[in-house]
Amino acid sequence: MEETTIELATPISTWLPGNTGSVPRSQYSSEVVVLTSICNFFTCFIGTFGNVMVMVVMLSSKKLRSNHNTAFMVNLALCLIPICCYTLPLMVAKFFEGAEYGDGLTEKTMWIVYNCLVILHQVHILSICIVAVNRVVALRSPVVFRRMLRSSVVALQLVLIWVLSVIFWLPLSFIEIRFAAYTVTFDITNKILRKFHILITYFIPLIATIICYVFIYVKLRQRRTGMSELQTREGNMASASGEGTLSASEAATAETVGSCRRWEEEASRSVFIISIILVVCSLPHAIIHFVCDCVNSVYCDQQFYGCLDAWLLIHTLQWLQFCLDPIVFVVVSAEYRKAVLQCLRRLSRTLTFRSDQMRHQ
């Protein structure tokens, strides 16, 4: 059976920069186009709805709102909402638009879209890294960590994340680096500059996050061993002295503290899983950009033309991570699920009250 393909109307040689030779025409198989279209549709839909839900639930829950981790969780959702509802749909449209309809989405529009995407994605990466670093500080030096819990320090960390993300990407638009609208990327032809940029924007935060979580795992394992031994000794001493149950106020305080600790642990566990998803989804894309002599060489290389479907699938895999954060929160965190149910109950009571008012009017 002959394979059906989708072809761009104009050869790539007419619109890729720095390519003057005769090259094959760009082709995506129809199966891959359908698959990536479905995946990207659900990424945009679930990512937009899920991340908005994360922000609403966490900001409306008094218990979650009082924890410092919530600010970073909200920041993770905040940076993904514009990606899912604005930049990603236009990126996908540009990938499928081709050269014949090149004026449909202009270079200026795609420059704005691409800058929004990479800056917001950088915010996502740095937020994950900062949460891991904060967790290490909490285990290593509780006194320093208590100072970091102040709202001014948390706000400073969030501002620093956004400022660094802008500094990492926006200057590329104003130096001698050409933005290729059809490949929707910056064409950094200088190998050293390109590899250094990928190193500081992706690999260094990723390596720092991995090191932090290795330290967290070792430290928590040591702490659990010590706590189990301590609880055993305290239990034996309490039974020997005849001391028993806690009072009602002490039990309530212990329950509140335990709930806060559970949310802190669940938030850290959620961010750890999100960091794994980040590696799985983004690493193939980062390696290709790091290894290739030029970003556009993956299109210009004669040997790569049989792998254009793989190139499209790699982008789709990278974008898939934008809708998975809300799913991770629901699956991992019992405290978040309770907050979702409370939010839905309040919404249901509000809607019922308003409908009753309308009936009586």
Side-chain angles (χ1 to χ4, degrees):
M1 182 181 293
E2 184 179 355
E3 185 182 12
T4 305
T5 59
I6 294 178
E7 300 185 0
L8 299 181
T10 307
I12 291 183
S13 58
T14 62
W15 49 267
L16 276 181
N19 187 27
T20 57
S22 176
V23 295
R25 299 170 73 178
S26 174
Q27 296 180 341
Y28 297 123
S29 66
S30 60
E31 293 83 359
V32 170
V33 169
V34 172
L35 175 63
T36 55
S37 299
I38 294 172
C39 290
N40 290 319
F41 171 79
F42 281 105
T43 297
C44 295
F45 178 77
I46 297 174
T48 302
F49 176 78
N51 286 297
V52 169
M53 190 70 179
V54 167
M55 289 190 63
V56 171
V57 169
M58 291 190 178
L59 293 177
S60 62
S61 173
K62 187 179 296 184
K63 183 188 298 183
L64 300 186
R65 194 171 60 239
S66 61
N67 191 283
H68 77 283
N69 279 313
T70 302
F72 296 99
M73 304 297 104
V74 170
N75 194 53
L76 286 174
L78 178 64
C79 67
L80 294 182
I81 292 172
I83 292 179
C84 294
C85 68
Y86 173 66
T87 62
L88 184 54
L90 291 181
M91 288 279 288
V92 175
K94 193 64 177 181
F95 267 52
F96 292 144
E97 184 184 55
E100 182 180 11
Y101 307 102
D103 293 335
L105 294 169
T106 63
E107 182 171 347
K108 184 176 181 181
T109 300
M110 295 315 300
W111 178 88
I112 295 172
V113 167
Y114 184 74
N115 274 283
C116 289
L117 177 68
V118 293
I119 290 173
L120 294 171
H121 190 207
Q122 191 67 51
V123 171
H124 190 254
I125 294 172
L126 293 180
S127 297
I128 292 172
C129 184
I130 290 296
V131 170
V133 171
N134 286 344
R135 187 65 173 159
V136 169
V137 174
L139 294 173
R140 183 75 178 176
S141 179
V143 175
V144 176
F145 182 67
R146 279 195 291 272
R147 296 173 186 168
M148 294 174 61
L149 293 179
R150 291 180 295 185
S151 57
S152 58
V153 178
V154 174
L156 181 61
Q157 292 182 61
L158 295 175
V159 170
L160 184 63
I161 288 171
W162 283 86
V163 170
L164 284 177
S165 300
V166 173
I167 291 174
F168 284 158
W169 285 99
L170 199 57
L172 293 180
S173 306
F174 303 103
I175 61 179
E176 294 300 322
I177 294 176
R178 187 181 184 279
F179 174 70
Y182 290 103
T183 54
V184 199
T185 188
F186 288 116
D187 184 12
I188 308 178
T189 55
N190 187 301
K191 296 180 183 180
I192 297 176
L193 177 60
R194 186 187 68 257
K195 291 183 178 181
F196 176 74
H197 187 261
I198 296 173
L199 188 68
I200 63 172
T201 57
Y202 181 77
F203 286 107
I204 288 180
L206 177 64
I207 292 170
T209 303
I210 292 172
I211 293 173
C212 287
Y213 277 113
V214 170
F215 175 83
I216 291 168
Y217 173 78
V218 173
K219 198 72 175 177
L220 288 179
R221 188 159 188 172
Q222 294 174 350
R223 178 174 290 185
R224 287 195 190 101
T225 303
M227 287 294 293
S228 61
E229 294 176 356
L230 180 62
Q231 287 175 358
T232 302
R233 287 198 300 267
E234 288 180 348
N236 293 335
M237 292 174 62
S239 60
S241 61
E243 294 180 357
T245 59
L246 298 173
S247 64
S249 60
E250 290 175 339
T253 303
E255 183 180 356
T256 302
V257 172
S259 178
C260 293
R261 287 180 178 174
R262 279 196 303 271
W263 167 240
E264 188 171 338
E265 292 176 358
E266 290 169 354
S268 300
R269 199 179 306 124
S270 299
V271 175
F272 172 67
I273 296 173
I274 290 170
S275 65
I276 295 176
I277 292 172
L278 170 67
V279 174
V280 172
C281 293
S282 296
L283 192 58
H285 185 269
I287 290 175
I288 286 177
H289 281 256
F290 190 83
V291 171
C292 291
D293 290 338
C294 176
V295 172
N296 290 328
S297 66
V298 291
Y299 291 94
C300 300
D301 190 351
Q302 295 282 347
Q303 297 179 355
F304 198 81
Y305 272 95
C307 302
L308 279 178
D309 286 345
W311 178 248
L312 184 59
L313 289 171
I314 285 172
H315 276 82
T316 302
L317 177 64
Q318 185 197 24
W319 297 332
L320 185 64
Q321 63 183 299
F322 301 143
C323 73
L324 296 179
D325 289 12
I327 298 174
V328 171
F329 292 141
V330 171
V331 172
V332 174
S333 176
E335 295 296 323
Y336 177 74
R337 290 195 296 271
K338 291 178 184 176
V340 170
L341 292 175
Q342 290 174 359
C343 185
L344 292 176
R345 289 193 197 100
R346 285 196 298 268
L347 179 61
S348 176
R349 286 196 296 266
T350 302
L351 293 176
T352 303
F353 177 73
R354 290 186 177 180
S355 63
D356 291 340
Q357 279 187 328
M358 292 179 65
R359 285 198 204 98
H360 291 303
Q361 285 180 353

